[in-house]
């Protein structure tokens, strides 16, 4: 068992992937308590929120910048003065925000955020003079038309009562923690490497984090997961297909956990990329398992990352609580209209998915033929994960400075020297592969001399 302090001032319990430990226990001084989060003493807190030593400001590198330049950094400012510092919760003052792809680069060929470069499945209805949405009025707080359309599209016997609509999947993640986790007492379980917002949302809500890493083959380690849970583990997040792993988790694994008497909390299956996978959606499980909740989004296959629309699908009692807690008008009329248009346009969706899957095969084949790529992981998503022999971070930065942005994932568990490449349009993929080869050869030419 590894125990370390995280940026939310909480104690994080991590199961060692190489350990055969049968139990997960807190440090000796805390053996009689089940609290997973603690607030440090005043001296420790002052040290943790102390502003960093000043340094010259960094400018965003231009396309002509040196190949060895580091990517631009989004400055996270510690709030140490003013009314906010005196009144805010300590875990918020110490929060490490989620770092999204656009914090690094926002121009060029962007193959770093797993968006659908083919384009959106639908567009807003033209209304230059016709105010058909009555935009001066608040939207329907229940999104009835959108829920009905989505229930019909997904099938498996679900109805509008099984669906929550939110601002992307992130709103649903936050709501689930607010509803089921008591701050400073309860915890969630994640399986790194995985989506970073689970940790950020837990830190915001002062909820502990138990991590049971995936195997090196990116499979769930179910026995270790079930040993790690306690009565305070209220949510278990399973990302399938995973990010950055691009691997789908078999539904049989979810069933094993749902059927286990060791865990009675909510199993959250995050299916942002499910439309690119051959695995059946876990929506098929909710009629059999009342504690399974599925997260989905229109940001990926539907090509609608810009409208921020996501869903939670589960049993009526869970969804009702989410609707009770959400803001009254959380989804606006423009988002709802585009979402409905897209769901009704299945032909375009299927065509775009087909193009991306064909391109995925082409990109993976090309990567496997490069001598400096040591592994290309199987993919159930609209992106691929590839391991280079060396210098993957330098290659990533140089490529971005030259106008093609992929995502460096080498700091993630089991992802040493890995780059994540979103599948784009054919011409974008070709340009990316050419620049990858050119950049690696340039970065390592002196090594081979």
């Amino acid at each position: 068992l590894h125990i370390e302090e995280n940026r939310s001032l909480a104690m994080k319990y991590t199961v060692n992937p190489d350990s055969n430990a049968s139990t997960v226990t807190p440090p000796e001084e805390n053996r009689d308590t089940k609290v997973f989060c603690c607030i440090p003493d005043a001296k420790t807190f002052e040290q943790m929120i102390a502003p960093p030593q000043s340094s010259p400001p960094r400018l965003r590198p231009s396309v002509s910048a040196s190949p060895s330049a580091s990517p631009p950094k989004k400055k996270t400012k510690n709030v140490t003065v003013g009314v906010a510092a005196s009144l805010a919760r300590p875990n918020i003052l110490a929060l490490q925000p989620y770092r999204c792809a656009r914090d690094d680069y926002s121009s060029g060929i962007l193959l770093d955020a797993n968006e659908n470069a083919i384009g959106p499945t639908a567009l807003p209805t033209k209304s230059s003079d016709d105010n058909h949405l009555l935009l001066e009025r608040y939207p329907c707080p229940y999104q009835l038309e959108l829920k009905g359309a989505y229930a019909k599209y997904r099938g498996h016997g679900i109805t509008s009562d099984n669906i929550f609509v939110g601002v992307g999947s992130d709103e649903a993640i936050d709501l689930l923690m607010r509803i089921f986790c008591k701050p400073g007492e309860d915890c969630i379980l994640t399986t790194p490497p995985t989506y970073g917002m689970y940790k950020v949302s837990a830190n915001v809500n002062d909820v502990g984090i138990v991590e049971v890493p995936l195997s090196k083959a990116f499979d769930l380690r179910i026995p270790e997961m079930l040993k790690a849970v306690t009565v305070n583990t209220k949510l278990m997040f399973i990302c399938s297909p995973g990010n950055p792993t691009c691997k789908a988790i078999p539904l049989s694994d979810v069933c094993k956990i749902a059927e286990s008497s060791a865990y009675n909390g909510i199993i959250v299956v995050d299916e942002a990329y499910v439309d690119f996978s051959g695995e059946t959606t876990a929506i098929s499980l909710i009629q059999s398992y009342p504690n399974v909740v599925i997260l989905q989004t229109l940001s990926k296959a539907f090509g609608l990352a810009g409208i921020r629309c996501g869903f939670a699908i589960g049993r009526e009692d869970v969804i009702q609580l989410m609707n009770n807690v959400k803001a009254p008008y959380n989804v606006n009329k423009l988002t709802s209209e585009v979402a409905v248009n897209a769901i009704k346009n299945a032909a375009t969706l299927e065509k775009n998915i087909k193009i991306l899957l064909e391109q995925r095969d082409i990109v993976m084949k090309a990567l496997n033929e490069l001598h400096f790529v040591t592994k290309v992981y199987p993919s159930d998503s609209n992106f691929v994960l590839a391991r280079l022999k060396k210098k993957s971070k330098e290659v990533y930065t140089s490529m971005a400075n030259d106008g093609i942005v992929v995502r460096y994932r080498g700091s993630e568990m089991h992802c040493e020297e890995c780059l994540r490449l979103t599948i784009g349009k054919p011409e974008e993929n070709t340009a990316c592969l050419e620049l990858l080869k050119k950049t690696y050869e340039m970065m390592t030419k002196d090594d081979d001399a």
Side-chain angles (χ1 to χ4, degrees), residues 342-359:
I343 293 165
K344 293 179 177 179
N345 195 8
T348 298
L349 172 67
E350 292 170 3
K351 180 188 71 174
N352 290 349
I353 291 174
K354 183 174 184 292
I355 293 172
L356 289 172
L357 293 182
E358 290 172 349
Q359 284 298 305

Side-chain angles (χ1 to χ4, degrees), residues 92-111:
I92 299 300
L93 291 174
L95 180 69
Q96 179 67 28
Y98 179 74
R99 186 172 185 82
C100 67
R102 293 302 151 260
D103 287 329
D104 293 332
Y105 298 95
S106 57
S107 60
I109 296 177
L110 301 175
L111 302 177

Side-chain angles (χ1 to χ4, degrees), residues 54-85:
S54 60
S55 58
R58 298 178 64 89
L59 299 178
R60 183 182 187 277
S62 64
V63 170
S64 60
S66 167
S68 62
S70 297
K73 300 290 185 182
K74 177 185 176 183
K75 207 164 200 177
T76 301
K77 297 180 180 179
N78 284 338
V79 178
T80 58
V81 296
V83 65

Side-chain angles (χ1 to χ4, degrees), residues 60-61 66-73 99-106 109 111-112 388 390-410 417-421 435-436 439-440 443:
R60 183 182 187 277
S66 167
S68 62
S70 297
K73 300 290 185 182
R99 186 172 185 82
C100 67
R102 293 302 151 260
D103 287 329
D104 293 332
Y105 298 95
S106 57
I109 296 177
L111 302 177
D112 57 340
L388 310 189
K390 56 186 175 180
K391 294 191 175 183
S392 60
K393 191 169 187 178
E394 292 89 340
V395 169
Y396 149 73
T397 303
S398 179
M399 288 181 64
N401 293 338
D402 286 337
I404 298 181
V405 188
V406 296
R407 199 87 189 264
Y408 172 70
R409 297 285 80 177
E417 297 292 353
C418 282
L419 298 179
R420 192 190 73 190
L421 293 75
L435 183 59
L436 174 62
T439 303
Y440 186 86
M443 300 294 294

Side-chain angles (χ1 to χ4, degrees), residues 118-127 132-133 298 302-304 306-307 333-345 348 352:
I118 304 301
T121 307
L123 296 171
T125 302
K126 293 182 179 180
S127 55
H132 66 284
L133 292 178
L298 299 187
F302 283 86
L304 292 170
I307 71 170
K333 290 183 176 182
L334 300 174
T335 289
S336 291
E337 180 183 65
V338 176
V340 170
N341 290 348
I343 293 165
K344 293 179 177 179
N345 195 8
T348 298
N352 290 349

